Amino acid sequence: MAAAGELTGKVALVTGGAGGVGSAVVGLLAQRGATVYLNCFHSFAAGRKQAEELTAAGHDVRVLRGSVGKPDHVERMIAEIAATSGRLDVLVNNAALGLFGSAATLTEDDIDRTWNINVKGPLRCSQAARQLMAAGGGGSIVNLSSIGSTRVLRDYLAIGLSKAALESLTRYLAVEFAPEGIRVNTASGGLLDTPGARMFPDSNGFASVMADRTPFGRLGQADEIAEVVGFLASDRSVWMTGQTVTADGGLGLPLGTFGHGSQATPSAPADSPDDAAGASGTGTTGPGSELGHDPIVVVGMGMAAPGVNSPDEFWQALCDGTALFSEATPDRWQTAAFTPGRRDVPDKGYQPVSGLIADFRPHPALAAEPDADRDFNTVWLRHSLFQALESVKRHEGDRFTMSVGLTCDGSQHRGEHFLVESVLLALAESGTMTADQVGTVKDALLKRFPRAASSRTLPHDIASDAIEGILPAATPVFVVDTACSSSLYALDRAVRDLRDGRAEIAVCGGSHAQRVSNMVAFAQLGGLSPTGEIRSLDETADGVLFADGAGLLVLKRLSRALADGDRIHGIISGIGLSADGKGKAINAPSTAGQVAAAQRALADSGIDAGDIGLVIAHATGTTAGDTAELFGIAEVYAGQRPVPVVANKAIIGHTGWAAGALSMIHLLLTMRHGHIPAQPRFTKLRAKVADQAPHLTVPREPTTWPRPSEPDAGEGPRVGAVSGFGFGGTNATVIVSEYLPQHAIPAPPERPDHSGDALVIVGWSKCEPDGLDYGEQFPMPPFESVRMPPKLVRSLDRSQLLAIQAVHALPAQVLEFCSAHRDTTGVIVGFMGQTQAMGDIVLRTHLDDIADVLAAEPIPGLPRFLEEFREAVQTSTAPLSADSYPGAMPNLIASRICNYFDLRGLNLLVDTGETALLQVFQTAEDYLRSGDLDLALVAGMSANATPAWSSEVRGDDARPVAEGAYLFAVTRESVARAAGLDILTRMETSIGEPA
């Protein structure tokens, strides 16, 4: 019988220790007194969480990040154990790679990668640990295997071969290591009741058959195989070496035949998302183990848009081609107050038509919920989430993440709330009315602006409320703002969550709700269509119309989706992001920037540009935007074969922060049907585009999308691309492939791995006012520091000016590095809520509306107050111009840095409330460790201390809202040393490797 402290004083290393059997082994060894080093690679967050929990319970568990497939990682891990503990007594080789498939479907590369992790990994760990174990007088090595090493299981060829070799390796090492007092044994088991067991094709049927084959009639548990490992690790097994101890619940007894079903369904090679793809439930891919080529797939999608309440309705709308634009009804806003029908009226728009969700039919689950005063975005996202999850299989204990594109600029509830709050605060400050009179004014305002009563209108609140009660309470929420490419940046984050083992299921997308101030501000740019329609891609395109909209996608790894029996809508083959850098102007789309994003997406996917059979363009319908984008598409996908290009904004409008997600759904639906609907209101390309891009075609009639033929392989999968870009030069391209079960999925190029390279800060700066804030007027920076005309500077929100000043204040060597590495330097900013300049736009555009609301109220002094209020607003803010909207958008804080300093890596803004700066550091680490960036400028910003904003974020005398900007230059240690950058400190985040 095991003694509670039988391993006291011993040191153990468990590879693949952050999930399934690995996690159970870590817990057991720690509880029996050992100091345990928990090794994991892609699942650092899960590993550290377990380590923290065990440490809090009084045990000694430490996390080591590294891949057993990389010799330098293994050497570093053993060196760290030697340096911190001075000994190693137990090594448990649990990490492994699981690729399902038969001889007909597995490639030679699949076999090689499985062998490298499952056989060479334990060998290199054992060799590296040998000297340290021998110095302590010996020890125990335990390898994890499965019954698939000696019995034939369907689609288990690669794993079975490697496990058989591992058991043979055990015997050879037992003999060789015996003189040093080191025992080497194997623990092998049957199928375990873990998430890994569900990775088998037809997992439910397989599990049922395997359970029936045991005398006990059940599957094993992770802690039961952990007990075998604990025995072999202890001195109770001191006279055992070179043995394979099998704990399979009697599965090997002659109770019947092995196998599960007579129909062999093809299955693509795939990694399990748990460390349990072996029949024993041990040693495969996922949390705490190696993640090989297991593509990310879309298994669910949901949406809402003008005239459209589901993907099926969206498809019908695409086929019909009918534009779904309208004027707002009075319950949404009073159109006459904002669009006088002329283009020369200050602070007014000229186009009353837009895309509005006016006939919304909520998902039945949403309709059944109690009525609540929710932001439009919250409602549409909940609807989309219920819809997207309808046919997606979920399991207890699944980890989710939610990544969504949102902004304070895209919420009518937010605008009305700020507007009413501003008027009431000004009224209170004037002191000219009684409490009853103020109450009367408030009632009148709320009658016109009823959504002002809603309080949870900030982006991070919207995202959290959207998933409440649908996804687990602990689901991390990531809110990104890159303007109209936001939902594609959210998709990139979701893919990274799955690739890095932070989730089993990732939800991503975006939402946008029209509000009048945005329409008016964009009208001042001259970008709205004067004709009330969008003619995307056409030579007569003359402007855009913005629209309400929301869209969400649900992602899983392919192996998990196959095991769950989910419908696979498509494979996310590659994603590319970029920033325009200096470009023509900050609000002018850049062909070069879009080309960079598309080329990065193709490189990420390993797919040839000539294989792209359809491009869903961003295609806003503006002359400059469509022309720049078409030139970029023509350059990237150049060739002899025609490349069809289509867009959806001519039907539903420009849904802003949701646009990329809806274009993804557009592509996936087209891929499903093999049919490309005609591009509505299209006659021909602009002449200069047609001359330079003769291979681009925009279908005027419905056309088929045939699958490409492949030599000796029949039909291949359709492959398409989604293009997106946003104000400020935030570009994104996504490559999507059709899933064909019978078609082998080529592995993408090996992605850089910098997990063993510590992150360091090589420079920092700050910009702070003398007091808590800069006051009503931000001090005008000197021309030499901004190099912009004074008129333009006055139109910029102070946050953008602070951002430029903060970069100027960085050490010269950091600025020189940025200049020399423009393509791999990115900017990531943490910010919360609305900019002060956007608040000014809201007030200016609603001055007449406010006067109209209160004109009928017979309150003495009210006319005088309204006159003074108007004068104060107009005095403190300039009339709206073409510079106002880009000067006020939150995401332009990051874009302004890229534009000013000509940086082209990527730029984005994170708005997760008061945790934004922490999220920014984690996001930077993602891009640095993946090699997408070599240096990240990470900023935290607060630049709005106006009374209306301060009251909303609960600022008070004890905790007032302050202003300031804080900037950090972060890179990898190897980059810093190679460039001669001064290293100020190493850093650690919850998803990175400890310093």
Side-chain angles (χ1 to χ4, degrees):
M1 182 176 179
E6 68 175 352
L7 298 179
T8 299
K10 294 187 180 297
V11 177
L13 168 63
V14 181
T15 68
V21 169
S23 178
V25 170
V26 168
L28 182 141
L29 298 183
Q31 290 162 11
R32 293 188 181 170
T35 293
V36 182
Y37 285 85
L38 187 163
N39 158 251
C40 52
F41 186 41
H42 292 282
S43 51
F44 184 79
R48 186 153 73 172
K49 181 180 179 182
Q50 183 187 8
E52 289 172 350
E53 291 173 350
L54 287 168
T55 300
H59 307 297
D60 188 358
V61 179
R62 311 171 189 185
V63 184
L64 280 179
R65 191 179 189 197
S67 168
V68 301
K70 299 178 182 297
D72 58 323
H73 286 207
V74 173
E75 291 174 5
R76 174 175 50 79
M77 289 191 296
I78 298 300
E80 182 164 340
I81 294 172
T84 55
S85 292
R87 62 182 298 136
L88 180 63
D89 304 283
V90 178
L91 168 64
V92 180
N93 286 310
N94 175 67
L97 175 68
L99 295 176
F100 289 108
S102 64
T105 61
L106 290 168
T107 66
E108 187 170 336
D109 181 61
D110 293 330
I111 302 296
D112 289 343
R113 288 187 293 117
T114 304
W115 195 268
N116 180 50
I117 300 300
N118 297 5
V119 182
K120 294 176 71 175
L123 174 59
R124 61 173 61 98
C125 287
S126 299
Q127 289 174 320
R130 181 177 183 176
Q131 184 175 353
L132 186 58
M133 297 182 84
S140 173
I141 297 175
V142 184
N143 299 318
L144 272 294
S145 184
S146 77
I147 60 169
S149 63
T150 57
R151 293 174 176 82
V152 177
L153 304 176
R154 186 167 63 100
D155 291 330
Y156 204 70
L157 185 146
I159 310 168
L161 285 176
S162 65
K163 293 301 184 182
L166 179 63
E167 293 180 15
S168 180
L169 176 66
T170 294
R171 293 187 285 273
Y172 277 90
L173 292 184
V175 173
E176 184 176 340
F177 285 17
E180 284 95 8
I182 302 171
R183 296 173 285 114
V184 186
N185 293 290
T186 295
S188 177
L191 189 67
L192 301 182
D193 187 11
T194 67
R198 294 190 284 270
M199 297 308 103
F200 277 88
D202 185 25
S203 59
N204 290 335
F206 182 40
S208 177
V209 170
M210 296 293 273
D212 288 344
R213 293 291 185 267
T214 69
F216 298 112
R218 68 171 178 84
L219 301 181
Q221 301 295 321
D223 57 358
E224 291 171 335
I225 194 71
E227 286 286 354
V228 178
V229 174
F231 167 70
L232 294 174
S234 73
D235 291 340
R236 288 177 289 135
S237 61
V238 69
W239 194 233
M240 292 178 61
T241 193
Q243 305 301 307
T244 296
V245 179
T246 301
D248 62 3
L251 187 63
L253 299 176
L255 297 173
T257 59
F258 282 95
H260 52 291
S262 58
Q263 298 297 319
T265 58
S267 66
D271 304 342
S272 160
D274 188 81
D275 66 342
S280 67
T282 65
T284 84
T285 320
S289 56
E290 303 304 319
L291 294 173
H293 175 46
D294 191 3
I296 309 303
V297 297
V298 180
V299 295
M301 49 189 182
M303 63 173 291
V308 171
N309 288 282
S310 69
D312 288 342
E313 291 183 15
F314 187 30
W315 178 249
Q316 189 60 51
L318 291 169
C319 292
D320 292 344
T322 302
L324 300 170
F325 305 119
S326 63
E327 290 191 23
T329 54
D331 65 306
R332 189 73 186 264
W333 59 69
Q334 298 286 337
T335 298
F338 308 100
T339 54
R342 293 163 40 203
R343 303 182 71 163
D344 59 348
V345 181
D347 301 335
K348 301 294 182 185
Y350 55 81
Q351 179 50 262
V353 168
S354 61
L356 300 173
I357 295 180
D359 55 353
F360 179 60
R361 298 189 307 279
H363 186 278
L366 179 61
E369 293 182 347
D371 290 337
D373 182 21
R374 288 170 168 160
D375 189 283
F376 286 144
N377 291 294
T378 301
V379 173
W380 300 334
L381 285 171
R382 284 184 75 79
H383 162 85
S384 301
L385 184 56
F386 278 127
Q387 200 174 78
L389 290 172
E390 276 183 342
S391 59
V392 175
K393 187 170 184 179
R394 295 182 275 172
H395 302 287
E396 185 177 354
D398 277 341
R399 294 170 301 149
F400 288 77
T401 57
M402 171 68 161
S403 303
V404 62
L406 288 167
T407 180
C408 276
D409 298 349
S411 168
Q412 185 175 351
H413 286 67
R414 160 114 296 278
E416 292 187 8
H417 185 84
F418 174 79
L419 178 66
V420 172
E421 186 75 8
S422 297
V423 175
L424 293 177
L425 282 171
L427 189 58
E429 186 177 350
S430 72
T432 58
M433 297 183 191
T434 66
D436 288 344
Q437 289 172 333
V438 171
T440 300
V441 171
K442 181 177 181 179
D443 291 342
L445 289 171
L446 289 177
K447 187 174 182 180
R448 174 67 67 89
F449 309 113
R451 299 165 190 88
S454 178
S455 60
R456 292 184 63 79
T457 61
L458 295 175
H460 63 284
D461 290 329
I462 288 170
S464 297
D465 292 351
I467 67 173
E468 185 179 7
I470 306 176
L471 301 184
T475 298
V477 171
F478 180 78
V479 180
V480 63
D481 184 355
T482 60
C484 305
S485 60
S486 293
S487 54
L488 296 183
Y489 272 71
L491 172 66
D492 178 70
R493 172 63 176 237
V495 167
R496 290 170 184 272
D497 285 338
L498 292 170
R499 281 180 180 171
D500 292 345
R502 295 193 291 264
E504 282 76 56
I505 304 175
V507 179
C508 60
S511 187
H512 174 254
Q514 271 284 64
R515 61 176 179 168
V516 168
S517 54
N518 296 57
M519 294 174 64
V520 172
F522 205 81
Q524 293 295 322
L525 272 167
L528 291 185
S529 168
T531 59
E533 63 180 15
I534 300 178
R535 295 190 288 274
S536 296
L537 308 172
D538 191 71
E539 66 170 352
T540 62
D542 62 358
V544 69
L545 298 173
F546 285 95
D548 298 331
L552 289 177
L553 303 170
V554 180
L555 311 182
K556 289 183 179 180
R557 284 186 165 271
L558 176 60
S559 59
R560 170 65 187 271
L562 290 172
D564 287 346
D566 293 323
R567 180 173 191 171
I568 298 172
H569 300 286
I571 301 170
I572 308 298
S573 296
I575 303 177
L577 309 175
S578 76
D580 280 350
K582 191 164 291 293
K584 297 178 182 178
I586 200 163
N587 59 341
S590 164
T591 295
Q594 293 172 35
V595 166
Q599 290 176 337
R600 291 170 185 177
L602 288 168
D604 184 49
S605 69
I607 291 173
D608 188 84
D611 294 332
I612 303 300
L614 176 66
V615 177
I616 308 296
H618 192 61
T620 60
T622 63
T623 300
D626 285 7
T627 300
E629 184 177 19
L630 286 167
F631 280 153
I633 292 171
E635 179 179 340
V636 173
Y637 309 110
Q640 301 302 313
R641 186 168 59 89
V643 179
V645 182
V646 296
N648 52 62
K649 292 178 179 61
I651 297 172
I652 61 171
H654 189 350
T655 54
W657 284 250
L662 298 188
S663 289
M664 282 291 298
I665 294 174
H666 184 170
L667 177 59
L668 293 167
L669 291 170
T670 307
M671 195 171 280
R672 175 196 301 175
H673 292 280
H675 170 85
I676 305 173
Q679 180 63 34
R681 283 158 292 289
F682 177 82
T683 55
K684 62 180 179 178
L685 291 169
R686 200 172 301 277
K688 65 178 182 179
V689 175
D691 290 344
Q692 296 186 38
H695 60 295
L696 297 187
T697 65
V698 181
R700 297 174 59 185
E701 300 293 337
T703 182
T704 58
W705 183 6
R707 293 191 177 102
S709 59
E710 298 185 346
D712 303 322
E715 291 185 335
R718 301 180 180 96
V719 184
V722 170
S723 170
F725 56 88
F727 248 41
T730 55
N731 309 297
T733 295
V734 182
I735 306 298
V736 181
S737 302
E738 183 181 19
Y739 173 67
L740 298 179
Q742 72 277 12
H743 191 277
I745 302 171
E750 185 173 353
R751 297 181 175 94
D753 171 30
H754 300 289
S755 59
D757 202 348
L759 298 187
V760 295
I761 294 175
V762 293
W764 76 284
S765 65
K766 66 176 180 178
C767 295
E768 295 177 321
D770 292 335
L772 289 174
D773 59 70
Y774 289 98
E776 294 184 4
Q777 295 296 327
F778 186 75
M780 183 75 70
F783 175 80
E784 59 270 17
S785 70
V786 293
R787 299 196 301 275
M788 300 178 200
K791 181 181 177 182
L792 174 58
V793 173
R794 283 192 293 270
S795 70
L796 302 186
D797 185 78
R798 59 185 62 184
S799 59
Q800 296 185 28
L801 298 173
L802 279 171
I804 294 174
Q805 293 179 15
V807 178
H808 274 308
L810 287 172
Q813 61 176 351
V814 173
L815 294 176
E816 291 169 3
F817 182 93
C818 293
S819 179
H821 300 82
R822 302 184 192 280
D823 290 339
T824 55
T825 297
V827 180
I828 309 173
V829 172
F831 188 78
M832 177 179 175
Q834 181 175 280
T835 65
Q836 183 169 329
M838 187 57 72
D840 295 339
I841 290 175
V842 172
L843 292 176
R844 288 195 74 102
T845 56
H846 284 84
L847 285 174
D848 289 343
D849 205 18
I850 294 168
D852 181 61
V853 170
L854 300 179
E857 299 299 330
I859 300 176
L862 185 55
R864 178 64 181 272
F865 165 76
L866 291 174
E867 182 180 336
E868 292 176 348
F869 182 75
R870 179 185 293 271
E871 182 180 358
V873 170
Q874 293 181 334
T875 300
S876 63
T877 63
L880 300 189
S881 68
D883 297 320
S884 298
Y885 196 49
M889 296 174 69
N891 79 285
L892 264 290
I893 302 169
S895 296
R896 189 65 67 180
I897 295 175
C898 284
N899 177 260
Y900 188 92
F901 294 94
D902 196 18
L903 306 178
R904 305 164 196 159
L906 55 84
N907 73 81
L908 61 98
L909 180 139
V910 176
D911 186 348
T912 53
E914 294 181 354
T915 68
L917 183 58
L918 297 178
Q919 287 275 8
V920 162
F921 273 112
Q922 293 182 350
T923 304
E925 178 166 15
D926 261 349
Y927 291 119
L928 289 166
R929 290 205 182 280
S930 65
D932 294 282
L933 296 180
D934 287 324
L935 186 137
L937 298 180
V938 172
M941 182 83 63
S942 175
N944 187 354
T946 57
W949 171 245
S950 298
S951 67
E952 293 186 51
V953 293
R954 300 176 183 86
D956 51 38
D957 292 339
R959 192 169 176 262
V961 174
E963 292 184 287
Y966 306 88
L967 181 69
F968 304 87
V970 185
T971 186
R972 298 184 297 276
E973 184 171 2
S974 63
V975 173
R977 295 195 183 283
L981 298 175
D982 293 335
I983 295 175
L984 305 182
T985 185
R986 287 188 175 189
M987 60 169 282
E988 175 186 353
T989 78
S990 65
I991 63 170
E993 182 177 9

